[in-house]
Amino acid sequence: MTVPEVSGGPRIGVYGDHALMVDLAGLDDVHALAAALRAAQVPGVVDVVPAARTVLVLLDDTATAADLARVEDAVRAVWESRSAVVQEGEGRLVEIPVVYDGQDLPDVAAWAGLSVAEVVARHGGREYVVAFGGFMPGFGYLTEVDPTIAAPRLATPRTRVPAGSVALAGDLTAVYPRATPGGWRLLGRTDVELFDVDRDPPALLTAGTRVRFREVDRLPGDAEGDVLPAEGDGHSAEGDQKAVEGDAIPVDGDGRPAEGDGAVGEGDVNPAEGDGHSAEGDQKAVDGDAIPVDGDGRPVEGDRVGGVEVLATGPLTLVEDEGRPGWASSGVGRSGAADQRALRLLNRLLANDDSAAALEVTLGGLVLRFHERATIALAGATAPAVLDGTSVGMQAVLEVRPGAELHLGYAARGTRTYLGVRGGFDVTPVLGSRSFDVLAGLGPAPLRAGDRLAIGPRPSRLPVVDLVAPRPATTGIVELAVRRGVRDEWFDDDAWRGLLGATFEVTDASNRVGLRLSGAPIGRRSGELPSEGLVPGAIQVPPDGQPVLFLRDHPVTGGYPVIGVVRDGALDVAAQLRPGDRLRFWETS
């Protein structure tokens, strides 16, 4: 495993537009600095992401070069005074009951030259420490594995690891909070709830927490003869996870895209012309016309609630806002609207607060019925729209009467169209955000026909602009501004020139997590990089040299080196690319 050489204090580098990467000598330093930074509450810092040998410091979206320099000075000052801070989780011991009946126990025993009973005794007979979180909410990487049983991960990842699986991968062990693809070896299972949004912190296992596994014969919910579900047993991952099938790049326990498992499903492909599919065909029949309303367009007492009714969703429609920064230590990424520029434009048109939530419509096909008077606008990918039988345009303020229907067609170019309403869509926030994260399976669920959405209180200020000229449609080869990453030791100058000189194509294994690209392979050093924090726009290079450009629902940490980071504004352009689109990168400082 290759790690940066760090001596004489932290090595700090600028990572994208709004972050700093701090390289440290080891895990003790990582825990000490991360805890000290959280305690210091440095102005402008919104999140701190500890990993194997690094601490990622995330600033807010308004951060400038001067802010990055100021925070770098603050990090160095905090490092000097870190010894007075107790690391998060230090001194806390969590005991996890485990039924050791995992599918891979015999293989681990054979690899170690031990009996199954001896493997169980060695795994359950010691104390572990949570090194860092990532991969998914509640997933903690535990160190201090007995080297005698430190069998490597599987050569081919499973397509499904059941929730609660206790697993091993080399010198790390962990518990899977929910079902997911994964390549770790399964030793047993537990019913401990590792992630709970109503708990503070939501993750049970945070950095520095001590953990012991206790062998039990059965779990409280077990029936006589229960065993760990095996692959092919007829169980479906759908029952164990909230993430949308086909709308997440599966990643393994190191935040690496799972090989051979990244293709998106029908929810992320462009419906073929002439396939007979139409928004009307998806529409759920609703009896009746407009309901009685008062002078403000709200239902009168005794009638159905107001708001907006979903008649059809198209391939995928999500509620999204600015995202949920500040939860990386629990394995929760920021998420938020994939095209943040489109969301900001909507909220400015409608005089909403920046935090107001909108609908993100993948490709099109959304049909809504309004049950109260509303003011709306559309932005993002241009799609034909019909309101109350009349065609309407993009990026214009539109007044809607109670009972009116909006039909959104399919975008000819681009991927995501945004619908905003004055007051924002008022759904229940999760960890402070109304966004759905497809990788974490966290947030308000994807919309379905029959759902009813409330509209939030209208802001006191009024819209001052009725129409904004649409941004030019993306045609031909898209060019994205990129700056170098912080892992120059993994890439030579030829690799950087290769990234800038090549034309890449977006593959169909792309979604809100990221874009898998196809083109001339990017050369890199062999070996494994210890997991470290990721930022939106990071361009990760796996061993095959085909880059992955991460979008808003990226993993918190990842285990492949990042050659560059797409600039903030260009990331919104990338979010509108679809399979088959071509792109190039150009360097900017």
Side-chain angles (χ1 to χ4, degrees):
M1 188 174 287
T2 305
V3 298
E5 293 295 329
V6 180
S7 60
R11 186 181 72 179
I12 304 176
V14 175
Y15 190 15
D17 288 335
H18 309 301
L20 298 171
M21 181 67 84
V22 186
D23 287 303
L24 296 159
L27 193 56
D28 289 343
D29 288 345
V30 167
H31 286 173
L33 179 60
L37 283 171
R38 292 191 185 103
Q41 297 183 336
V42 179
V45 172
V46 297
D47 219 338
V48 175
V49 187
R53 301 290 178 88
T54 60
V55 174
L56 176 64
V57 182
L58 297 169
L59 282 68
D60 62 38
D61 290 344
T62 63
T64 63
D67 291 322
L68 288 167
R70 172 182 55 79
V71 172
E72 180 176 346
D73 290 341
V75 170
R76 296 189 187 280
V78 167
W79 169 258
E80 295 299 328
S81 60
R82 69 196 181 283
S83 59
V85 180
V86 177
Q87 70 185 46
E88 178 183 355
E90 186 176 26
R92 186 166 63 96
L93 176 64
V94 174
E95 189 175 79
I96 297 178
V98 180
V99 175
Y100 282 99
D101 58 1
Q103 296 170 243
D104 298 318
L105 264 176
D107 291 338
V108 174
W111 180 89
L114 301 171
S115 68
V116 167
E118 287 173 318
V119 171
V120 171
R122 288 175 181 266
H123 186 264
R126 63 197 296 121
E127 190 173 283
Y128 300 91
V129 177
V130 180
F132 56 94
F135 176 42
M136 67 172 61
F139 190 100
Y141 294 83
L142 310 184
T143 60
E144 311 299 333
V145 170
D146 185 329
T148 308
I149 63 170
R153 63 177 57 85
L154 299 172
T156 302
R158 288 183 170 87
T159 57
R160 176 179 179 266
V161 174
S165 293
V166 178
L168 178 75
D171 59 357
L172 295 171
T173 188
V175 183
Y176 282 81
R178 63 182 179 88
T180 178
W184 291 36
R185 295 183 184 270
L186 306 186
L187 303 183
R189 57 192 170 90
T190 185
D191 62 353
V192 170
E193 188 171 22
L194 297 175
F195 187 83
D196 180 355
V197 295
D198 295 322
R199 184 168 55 201
D200 185 18
L204 179 65
L205 306 180
T206 55
T209 301
R210 296 178 295 129
V211 178
R212 291 189 69 92
F213 295 107
R214 175 172 55 87
E215 183 181 10
V216 297
D217 293 331
R218 65 178 61 249
L219 300 172
D222 285 351
E224 191 70 33
D226 272 359
V227 296
L228 183 69
E231 295 174 48
D233 65 352
H235 285 72
S236 166
E238 295 172 347
D240 292 296
Q241 60 179 328
K242 298 178 183 177
V244 179
E245 291 295 333
D247 198 57
I249 293 179
V251 294
D252 65 15
D254 288 316
R256 301 180 174 99
E259 293 299 325
D261 219 359
V264 296
E266 63 178 347
D268 271 317
V269 295
N270 188 20
E273 295 182 14
D275 67 352
H277 181 83
S278 68
E280 288 76 17
D282 283 338
Q283 183 169 327
K284 178 179 179 180
V286 178
D287 293 330
D289 268 322
I291 58 179
V293 295
D294 62 17
D296 292 322
R298 295 185 182 274
V300 298
E301 193 68 29
D303 284 286
R304 292 181 297 169
V305 296
V308 182
E309 184 177 3
V310 180
L311 304 183
T313 63
L316 179 69
T317 298
L318 305 174
V319 179
E320 298 289 344
D321 59 15
E322 292 182 302
R324 54 176 64 82
W327 297 102
S329 63
S330 290
V332 178
R334 176 170 174 169
S335 188
D339 184 346
Q340 290 279 324
R341 180 167 61 177
L343 177 67
R344 289 193 297 269
L345 174 59
L346 277 183
N347 284 330
R348 288 171 185 168
L349 275 170
L350 297 167
N352 284 334
D353 292 338
D354 290 341
S355 60
L359 301 186
E360 180 180 279
V361 186
T362 301
L363 298 176
L366 178 69
V367 182
L368 302 176
R369 173 174 288 168
F370 290 80
H371 289 285
E372 63 181 271
R373 183 174 292 119
T375 305
I376 66 172
L378 295 161
T382 300
V386 175
L387 177 62
D388 224 7
T390 302
S391 294
V392 294
M394 303 287 295
Q395 302 181 181
V397 176
L398 306 170
E399 297 296 333
V400 184
R401 68 170 183 84
E405 291 186 5
L406 173 71
H407 292 246
L408 190 66
Y410 288 94
R413 296 194 62 84
T415 301
R416 297 173 176 90
T417 302
Y418 293 84
L419 169 66
V421 62
R422 184 165 160 77
F425 288 100
D426 190 11
V427 299
T428 302
V430 177
L431 297 181
S433 170
R434 294 178 171 86
S435 288
F436 181 74
D437 184 329
V438 301
L439 181 61
L442 190 70
L447 297 188
R448 298 180 298 177
D451 285 346
R452 186 74 70 98
L453 298 171
I455 298 175
R458 278 59 166 178
S460 58
R461 60 183 182 277
L462 298 174
V464 295
V465 178
D466 292 329
L467 176 69
V468 174
R471 62 191 184 196
T474 302
T475 59
I477 299 175
V478 176
E479 295 191 346
L480 302 177
V482 62
R483 65 190 305 169
R484 282 183 182 264
V486 293
R487 291 289 164 250
D488 288 344
E489 67 271 18
W490 281 79
F491 304 99
D492 58 23
D493 289 339
D494 288 340
W496 182 247
R497 285 192 292 267
L499 178 74
L500 300 180
T503 297
F504 297 95
E505 183 172 307
V506 178
T507 72
D508 59 3
S510 301
N511 43 60
R512 279 181 51 90
V513 178
L515 305 179
R516 284 184 182 266
L517 306 179
S518 175
I522 303 299
R524 45 155 279 188
R525 289 171 55 177
S526 60
E528 293 187 9
L529 177 74
S531 292
E532 61 186 24
L534 290 169
V535 296
I539 304 170
Q540 199 179 66
V541 182
D544 66 3
Q546 298 298 321
V548 176
L549 169 55
F550 281 116
L551 301 180
R552 301 292 177 182
D553 285 357
H554 63 84
V556 172
T557 60
Y560 292 140
V562 170
I563 189 172
V565 182
V566 169
R567 301 300 297 268
D568 210 29
L571 187 62
D572 295 324
V573 176
Q576 293 294 352
L577 298 178
R578 60 169 65 180
D581 286 345
R582 296 187 299 161
L583 63 91
R584 296 172 64 92
F585 298 104
W586 62 277
E587 183 175 9
T588 180
S589 58

